[in-house]
Amino acid sequence: MAESAGGSRKIGEDEPARLDQSKGKSGKAEPARLIQDIIELEAGSSTAEYAGTKQRRVEVEQARQNQDMIKLEAESAYDVLLSSGSNIFKFDDSLYHRLKAGNIRVFKYDRTPLTSEELLLSVYCSKIYIPIFSLNYAYRPRCLEMLALMVEDTSRSGGKKEILPIFYDVKRSDVQLEKKSLYRDALESHRQKFGAEKVKKWKEALVNAGKVKGWELSSYEGKEALITSIVGEILHKLMIEHNFVPEDLSTCDNPILSDRTSGLEDSQESKIMELLELEVSDVRIVGIHGRDGIGKTALAKSIYDRISLHFDACSFLAEIEETTQQPGGAQYLQTKLIFNILKRECEVASAFKGVRYLKGILRSMKVLIVLDDVENGNLLKEFVGAKLDWFGSGSRIIVTSKESRVLQGFIARGLAHTYNVNPMDDKQAFNFFWQYAATKRSDELHSYVKSAIEIVKAAKGLPLLLKVFGSFLHNKGLEEWNKFEDLIQQFQEDYEKILCIIYDTLDQDQNQMYLDIAFYTPDVDCRIASYMWRWYYYGHLVIKDLCRMSLIKMEENKIGMHSMLRCLARKIIREGFHDPGTEAGLDIPAIAQDTNKGKKGKNPLNTEEEGLEFLPNTTFLSLGGANIGGKFADALLNVRWLHWQGCPRDAINIHLEKNENLVILDLSWSKVTESWGGWKRIKMERLKVLNLTGCGDLLINPSFSCCPNLEILILERCSRLVHLDPSIDDLKLLVTLNLKFCSELSVLPAEMNGMKALRELLIDGTSIRELPESIGKLVQLQILSATNCFSLVRVPGSIRKLKAIRVLALDDANILELPRLIGDLEELRRLSLRDCRELGKLPESTGKLGFSLVELDISGTGISRLPDSTKNLRCLKVLKMDSCFLREFPNYIGELKFLEEVHASWCRSLEGVIPSGISKLSHLRELRLRATCISGLPSEIQILSRLQTLDLLHCDHIKELPTLPSNLIDLYVNPNLMPEMLESPRHLP
């Protein structure tokens, strides 16, 4: 392209040549190339340049009428076009994949260069347009031009196309360009470059799109809930379009046209809410009961998410039955409960001590606790006591269980109420099933409806079965649907056999992983389990496949499985043991069981100890507290994961010298010592994970010279460990070093040069006094957690060299200052200094973290003033300043535009009026100022449309309140400040 001496393009010189290049052999301009020329030129052109494209626009319009174009549109049609200004925290990716999973043909446009023919024609080839309006949407000319094309095409479609906008982090008024719209400045910035005519066109497009109701993120409990609603409504619209009316469902003439649900009946939630009676100040239990797979846990989780804001602290303890069967399981759950309530880790040495600790901390707090899957009534006493006298006024405990008998004692004394979960009705069941099963093109779905109706009826309203059946049939042909329908009718209500049919269709890798996970501890860490699957070429894809089929679930780094599916897998293994040919070719996980019930005699596997049995090809072996002998050696050759929690001190006859495959060794909660004889009898050259959690007899860790390939070392809660063997620095591949609650450990190795691969260093709850200078050489370190280190007095300046660090947590440390150049940690996202009481200020360099820091916690410190540079923390979302010595609210608060939470409760020195600049915090959801001396709020606070929680309780210097946002959910104020404009506040103290 020709350029003038000044570097700008000479208009008109080369345009004829470009136009010629866009013509095909016939001499007519090709539509795709023409549209590409127009949009590329318009998106980066000046006003004069834009004027030169009129001829091309005419040619494009003519091209759209030609039959070649119509044929191309028909061949590459989409159901949905997604358009976003950028990848909004992966939201648009998640929505895209969920729509695709529903077999909706979707095209996603974000920042991709407009070069693909499919992309260029996507507007004209789509039925439903979904623009995702975010903060930066209006700053992107390509997005505005795309929106203008959407609006234009919708208006001339005669009602056949529609726009359904998502208001992600802007309000509808912003898109409609009302007086204080965030988009007004953006459009004005385009005027000089693109001209008034173009900007006017974009304004009209925005205003028209803003008139449509669409979806607002602020109206949903979270992104997942929003995505579920969107996918449901799109499927709903496409099914209406093709007249899918399954008339023979008994409860509704046309259930598909009804509102879609998430699989849980709203009326059931309402009934449980009536039993909870949140407005009553007593303490009570509500039990949720029902058969396996009926959705008890999902219902409890939905209620938990809905009401958690009404409590001082909350905790959801999942899969209690399975977890407490593991050694140390009760202590683990109690520790988790304490952490959730106090937001800090505390060691629970025994279940008894855990009870005493819980009793002490809960009495003054209003808490919400969910205890999921409790089948042993006596176990409840370890979490809630016998009389519910541990808890503060208004506390609620939700218990899920298959049987109501577990709460019988509490019910008899009037302390508990129960609700029995009902199956879904046919209408809900069909919608829930269809959400997972919808397959093929939207105009072909009617062929599947008859089979779908019969399959749904067979599931008897059980959400788990509906989800698994639907996921199994997704993307399968009509013949397979009909075959599955026949099998379901053949087996009637024998769900185990039906699930076995699904299991039999898995390939060998999927089979293996499904069986493995069923034997692992609940919510096993995927990072550890992945070492078992590294020989799978597509291991990560297998996990995704099983998740897609709803056979496993994965949240963050935890992999889990529904108890019904876990029982099925274990039954398959047991039957495979007695008939080994049934699972030929698979590596078998096993849990040692006492099959002889104490009777003497040999079992068929030639084990030394009676009563233990497992297959010779066992790869995962859980032994519990069993003791095994030397004749076991040959049977253990294939074990890759030895899970021997509670290993006895005298278990010295084990022989694993010949085992070349061991990669994970878990001896947690055992009596092993550094001189334990088993260390010499276990070959550990290939060992990747060594877990010694809770080994209270260890004074010094064993030498690591025998396991040079170790990547994860867990010494957590080794309460008597006083010294680390120098060989730890030879672990050049070590990624995670976990020393949490090694309470007697007071020093780290002076030299930490060798652990170049270390990414996680966890020393919470230790007695370490200072971090060594050599810590700066851990250049790959991403997480340094040193909470509850009450003896920690110094953080060395070398920490500034940790360029990869993302989390630095020093809660409760006794440090006087932070390194001056803390701002050099350019990747730091979370800095937590809670309860560092001797810390009086933050370094001025803190402001250099402006492009990374998301959360800053200085609660409980001696800090009285934030440095001026804090105003540069433009990415900050959470600012916690509770119980510190701040004297005034930062006057630059409005510059921290992405703040979502501000916590400044119990700052007794905090005075004055909150700055009016707070009105700029359009993302603010929580503002907590309880028990401060502030004297007022600015009138501008009423425009904070996302503010849901405002806590002004015990703010005695406030005499009156301004008009508050109408969207508040939780308002805590003194009785004399009851705002008249709120007719029925949701929550008052």
Side-chain angles (χ1 to χ4, degrees):
M1 189 173 289
E3 293 186 358
S4 67
S8 61
R9 184 161 67 94
K10 294 182 179 179
I11 307 302
E13 283 188 2
D14 61 341
E15 283 191 351
R18 276 198 77 181
L19 188 57
D20 288 341
Q21 291 169 6
S22 68
K23 295 180 179 180
K25 294 180 180 178
S26 64
K28 294 182 178 181
E30 295 177 355
R33 182 54 187 269
L34 282 169
I35 298 174
Q36 179 180 4
D37 285 346
I38 287 175
I39 300 180
E40 284 182 345
L41 197 61
E42 291 178 354
S45 300
S46 65
T47 306
E49 290 174 320
Y50 174 66
T53 65
K54 289 182 179 178
Q55 179 185 352
R56 256 175 274 183
R57 289 208 314 281
V58 173
E59 292 193 35
V60 171
E61 197 58 40
Q62 292 172 346
R64 289 192 71 254
Q65 304 302 320
N66 123 350
Q67 294 218 347
D68 291 337
M69 183 68 156
I70 295 172
K71 180 180 178 183
L72 183 58
E73 290 183 24
E75 288 177 351
S76 56
Y78 296 101
D79 295 315
V80 172
L81 168 64
L82 282 181
S83 171
S84 62
S86 62
N87 197 332
I88 315 166
F89 303 113
K90 302 296 182 183
F91 171 80
D92 46 354
D93 277 346
S94 298
L95 176 57
Y96 172 78
H97 290 301
R98 282 284 296 276
L99 289 167
K100 291 283 283 186
N103 231 57
I104 297 170
R105 291 166 295 170
V106 55
F107 187 90
K108 176 172 171 280
Y109 168 71
D110 42 34
R111 291 175 292 179
T112 310
L114 297 175
T115 55
S116 158
E117 183 174 278
E118 184 178 52
L119 176 62
L120 298 172
L121 296 174
S122 58
V123 172
Y124 303 113
C125 301
S126 301
K127 301 171 187 174
I128 297 173
Y129 305 126
I130 303 182
I132 305 176
F133 292 120
S134 58
L135 290 173
N136 62 357
Y137 189 93
Y139 287 95
R140 299 189 181 278
R142 292 174 184 265
C143 290
L144 294 171
E145 187 62 24
M146 178 76 81
L147 181 66
L149 291 171
M150 292 178 191
V151 171
E152 181 184 353
D153 206 46
T154 301
S155 64
R156 65 186 179 197
S157 70
K160 294 181 180 180
K161 299 186 178 187
E162 62 180 323
I163 294 178
L164 297 173
I166 298 172
F167 303 95
Y168 183 81
D169 48 12
V170 297
K171 295 180 289 187
R172 187 187 310 279
S173 59
D174 291 319
V175 180
Q176 291 181 309
L177 302 177
E178 293 182 4
K179 188 174 180 180
K180 295 185 178 180
S181 168
L182 295 174
Y183 284 1
R184 280 181 173 270
D185 290 344
L187 287 170
E188 286 305 312
S189 70
H190 295 317
R191 185 180 298 277
Q192 184 174 0
K193 186 173 183 180
F194 296 100
E197 182 183 349
K198 170 63 75 174
V199 172
K200 180 182 178 182
K201 176 183 174 183
W202 290 345
K203 280 185 175 181
E204 291 173 352
L206 284 167
V207 171
N208 281 318
K211 292 177 181 177
V212 184
K213 182 180 179 181
W215 298 274
E216 295 186 48
L217 176 59
S218 59
S219 300
Y220 293 82
E221 292 182 352
K223 298 173 188 176
E224 186 61 31
L226 172 59
I227 289 173
T228 298
S229 175
I230 294 170
V231 174
E233 188 162 337
I234 297 300
L235 280 170
H236 185 186
K237 287 179 178 292
L238 294 175
M239 294 169 81
I240 291 174
E241 178 185 340
H242 296 289
N243 297 314
F244 298 154
V245 185
E247 297 175 352
D248 53 344
L249 282 181
S250 59
T251 58
C252 185
D253 291 335
N254 188 2
I256 286 298
L257 303 185
S258 63
D259 291 336
R260 299 182 60 82
T261 72
S262 63
L264 297 172
E265 188 176 3
D266 288 341
S267 64
Q268 299 205 104
E269 287 193 19
S270 299
K271 290 173 182 175
I272 294 173
M273 290 296 293
E274 290 174 9
L275 295 177
L276 286 166
E277 283 190 287
L278 297 184
E279 65 277 9
V280 178
S281 61
D282 66 350
V283 179
R284 68 176 66 178
I285 297 177
V286 171
I288 300 177
H289 307 295
R291 61 179 297 179
D292 240 354
I294 204 166
K296 301 183 296 295
T297 301
L299 188 54
K301 187 67 169 68
S302 180
I303 293 286
Y304 178 85
D305 291 340
R306 179 174 170 180
I307 68 175
S308 57
L309 283 173
H310 295 281
F311 296 85
D312 297 329
C314 306
S315 180
F316 192 110
L317 300 182
E319 296 194 83
I320 287 179
E321 177 70 14
E322 182 74 19
T323 303
T324 52
Q325 292 178 11
Q326 308 294 327
Q331 293 99 296
Y332 166 78
L333 289 171
Q334 288 174 340
T335 299
K336 184 177 179 182
L337 174 58
I338 292 169
F339 173 78
N340 291 341
I341 298 299
L342 295 184
K343 301 304 180 189
R344 67 178 65 177
E345 297 224 40
C346 295
E347 182 178 7
V348 175
S350 67
F352 174 73
K353 289 184 178 179
V355 167
R356 292 179 60 187
Y357 196 91
L358 287 168
K359 191 173 181 179
I361 66 171
L362 296 175
R363 187 163 287 158
S364 61
M365 301 181 71
K366 178 183 177 183
V367 299
L368 171 65
I369 299 173
V370 175
L371 304 174
D372 175 49
D373 190 22
V374 179
E375 305 305 328
N376 181 354
N378 293 327
L379 189 63
L380 277 176
K381 296 178 182 178
E382 297 184 11
F383 296 96
V384 301
K387 303 177 182 178
L388 300 189
D389 57 347
W390 298 3
F391 303 94
S393 177
S395 293
R396 294 291 182 267
I397 298 100
I398 298 174
V399 176
T400 73
S401 177
K402 297 185 188 71
E403 302 289 342
S404 60
R405 58 180 171 75
V406 299
L407 293 175
Q408 199 58 50
F410 293 98
I411 294 171
R413 285 173 286 157
L415 298 174
H417 307 273
T418 61
Y419 177 79
N420 196 61
V421 182
N422 299 314
M424 293 180 177
D425 62 33
D426 285 344
K427 176 180 68 176
Q428 291 174 313
F430 189 94
N431 281 339
F432 189 60
F433 166 81
W434 199 263
Q435 182 176 337
Y436 292 93
T439 187
K440 302 298 177 185
R441 292 166 58 98
S442 56
D443 54 356
E444 296 175 4
L445 290 172
H446 64 280
S447 306
Y448 295 79
V449 171
K450 180 178 178 298
S451 288
I453 293 171
E454 297 305 318
I455 293 168
V456 167
K457 286 181 178 178
K460 300 296 183 184
L462 294 180
L464 175 69
L465 295 181
L466 291 164
K467 185 176 181 180
V468 173
F469 292 174
S471 300
F472 170 69
L473 292 170
H474 179 75
N475 274 341
K476 287 184 167 55
L478 184 59
E479 183 179 347
E480 291 172 282
W481 278 57
N482 293 334
K483 183 179 178 181
F484 187 69
E485 176 194 346
D486 293 340
L487 289 169
I488 277 187
Q489 291 178 346
Q490 174 186 340
F491 291 119
Q492 296 299 319
E493 292 189 28
D494 192 340
Y495 302 126
E496 200 169 78
K497 287 186 178 179
I498 298 171
L499 290 172
C500 279
I501 293 170
I502 295 175
Y503 168 80
D504 288 339
T505 65
L506 302 179
D507 64 33
Q508 185 160 326
D509 285 351
Q510 293 168 340
N511 264 327
Q512 182 71 66
M513 198 171 289
Y514 169 65
L515 296 177
D516 285 347
I517 294 170
F519 278 78
Y520 299 161
T521 54
D523 292 326
V524 65
D525 192 323
C526 182
R527 293 170 296 180
I528 292 177
S530 65
Y531 289 103
M532 289 288 284
W533 306 319
R534 285 198 170 182
W535 52 92
Y536 296 168
Y537 188 67
Y538 296 112
H540 63 290
L541 296 179
V542 178
I543 293 177
K544 288 184 178 179
D545 287 342
L546 292 177
C547 286
R548 179 184 52 77
M549 298 169 73
S550 302
L551 295 176
I552 65 173
K553 56 187 177 181
M554 187 168 178
E555 295 180 6
E556 297 179 346
N557 287 320
K558 304 293 185 182
I559 302 178
M561 181 180 290
H562 193 280
S563 58
M564 183 186 288
L565 297 170
R566 183 184 292 115
C567 289
L568 171 67
R570 292 181 178 181
K571 183 176 181 180
I572 289 170
I573 291 294
R574 286 196 301 272
E575 291 178 350
F577 168 75
H578 294 293
D579 181 12
T582 60
E583 294 301 326
L586 286 179
D587 299 322
I588 304 300
I591 298 176
Q593 302 176 54
D594 187 357
T595 58
N596 292 331
K597 295 183 180 180
K599 296 180 181 179
K600 298 290 182 180
K602 287 191 174 182
N603 63 55
L605 289 177
N606 193 31
T607 61
E608 183 174 291
E609 309 297 327
E610 71 275 3
L612 299 181
E613 62 174 1
F614 56 88
L615 291 170
N617 60 333
T618 295
T619 54
F620 171 85
L621 177 61
S622 179
L623 287 173
N627 199 343
I628 55 178
K631 293 183 180 179
F632 242 176
D634 290 340
L636 297 175
L637 290 178
N638 294 311
V639 171
R640 291 195 286 272
W641 185 341
L642 180 57
H643 186 260
W644 202 358
Q645 290 190 342
C647 165
R649 182 182 283 109
D650 58 350
I652 59 174
N653 292 323
I654 184 170
H655 287 271
L656 287 172
E657 299 99 324
K658 299 179 182 179
N659 186 316
E660 300 279 352
N661 299 302
L662 194 66
V663 291
I664 304 172
L665 177 59
D666 186 345
L667 298 173
S668 51
W669 306 102
S670 299
K671 295 296 184 180
V672 298
T673 66
E674 61 275 10
S675 58
W676 178 56
W679 299 122
K680 297 178 180 179
R681 294 184 173 89
I682 301 176
K683 190 162 188 161
M684 295 192 286
E685 289 182 3
R686 296 189 180 182
L687 200 67
K688 297 293 186 181
V689 180
L690 177 58
N691 187 353
L692 299 174
T693 298
C695 292
D697 289 349
L698 276 178
L699 300 178
I700 303 173
N701 60 270
S703 172
F704 298 117
S705 57
C706 59
C707 42
N709 292 303
L710 202 62
E711 295 184 16
I712 297 178
L713 174 59
I714 306 173
L715 293 164
E716 182 174 343
R717 301 183 191 280
C718 293
S719 54
R720 298 176 65 194
L721 186 71
V722 296
H723 180 66
L724 292 177
D725 188 274
S727 62
I728 197 169
D729 196 44
D730 296 331
L731 299 176
K732 302 186 185 306
L733 302 180
L734 194 66
V735 173
T736 297
L737 176 56
N738 184 345
L739 300 166
K740 294 167 68 172
F741 296 103
C742 294
S743 52
E744 296 297 319
L745 186 65
S746 60
V747 63
L748 290 173
E751 293 301 323
M752 302 182 74
N753 307 337
M755 295 183 283
K756 297 291 188 183
L758 198 66
R759 293 202 292 266
E760 271 189 311
L761 177 57
L762 313 176
I763 58 173
D764 312 81
T766 62
S767 298
I768 290 171
R769 292 183 53 80
E770 61 180 275
L771 300 175
E773 196 71 32
S774 61
I775 199 168
K777 297 180 179 179
L778 303 179
V779 293
Q780 295 195 47
L781 196 66
Q782 296 178 5
I783 298 174
L784 173 54
S785 186
T787 64
N788 299 102
C789 292
F790 304 110
S791 301
L792 185 63
V793 295
R794 180 176 175 270
V795 177
S798 64
I799 200 173
R800 72 181 186 279
K801 299 177 182 178
L802 302 179
K803 301 298 185 182
I805 197 165
R806 297 167 62 85
V807 176
L808 177 58
L810 301 169
D811 303 5
D812 286 294
N814 203 28
I815 56 175
L816 298 175
E817 60 182 2
L818 286 176
R820 182 173 56 85
L821 297 179
I822 192 80
D824 288 356
L825 305 179
E826 55 195 35
E827 294 295 324
L828 190 65
R829 292 178 58 82
R830 177 171 174 256
L831 176 59
S832 185
L833 304 165
R834 176 178 287 268
D835 293 327
C836 293
R837 302 191 183 280
E838 302 301 318
L839 185 65
K841 64 179 182 179
L842 290 177
E844 192 65 34
S845 68
T846 304
K848 291 173 64 178
L849 303 173
F851 293 104
S852 63
L853 199 66
V854 173
E855 180 177 344
L856 174 62
D857 190 348
I858 59 169
S859 303
T861 64
I863 294 174
S864 59
R865 179 180 174 275
L866 291 173
D868 291 340
S869 66
T870 310
K871 65 185 178 184
N872 298 322
L873 301 178
R874 301 297 172 85
C875 292
L876 200 66
K877 291 185 178 181
V878 179
L879 177 58
K880 296 182 178 181
M881 307 177 288
D882 297 320
S883 301
C884 61
F885 292 87
L886 284 180
R887 294 187 175 87
E888 60 181 4
F889 215 73
N891 57 15
Y892 51 76
I893 192 70
E895 298 187 36
L896 308 180
K897 294 186 177 180
F898 289 99
L899 270 179
E900 297 178 6
E901 300 177 28
V902 177
H903 302 253
S905 295
W906 304 103
C907 291
R908 301 291 192 181
S909 303
L910 186 60
E911 300 176 340
V913 177
I914 300 300
S916 60
I918 200 170
S919 62
K920 298 178 182 178
L921 304 183
S922 59
H923 297 267
L924 193 65
R925 294 182 291 104
E926 291 185 46
L927 178 58
R928 297 184 181 271
L929 301 166
R930 177 176 296 202
T932 62
C933 294
I934 64 166
S935 55
L937 298 176
S939 59
E940 291 88 348
I941 197 170
Q942 65 179 302
I943 70 174
L944 295 178
S945 62
R946 294 194 177 183
L947 190 64
Q948 297 179 350
T949 301
L950 178 60
D951 188 350
L952 301 171
L953 196 63
H954 305 310
C955 292
D956 300 331
H957 292 263
I958 298 180
K959 302 306 178 185
E960 61 179 346
L961 290 174
T963 302
L964 299 177
S966 59
N967 43 282
L968 275 179
I969 295 175
D970 292 282
L971 175 63
Y972 301 82
V973 294
N974 292 347
N976 63 305
L977 289 177
M978 184 78 70
E980 295 179 1
M981 72 288 291
L982 292 178
E983 297 179 0
S984 56
R986 295 283 190 89
H987 181 85
L988 293 170

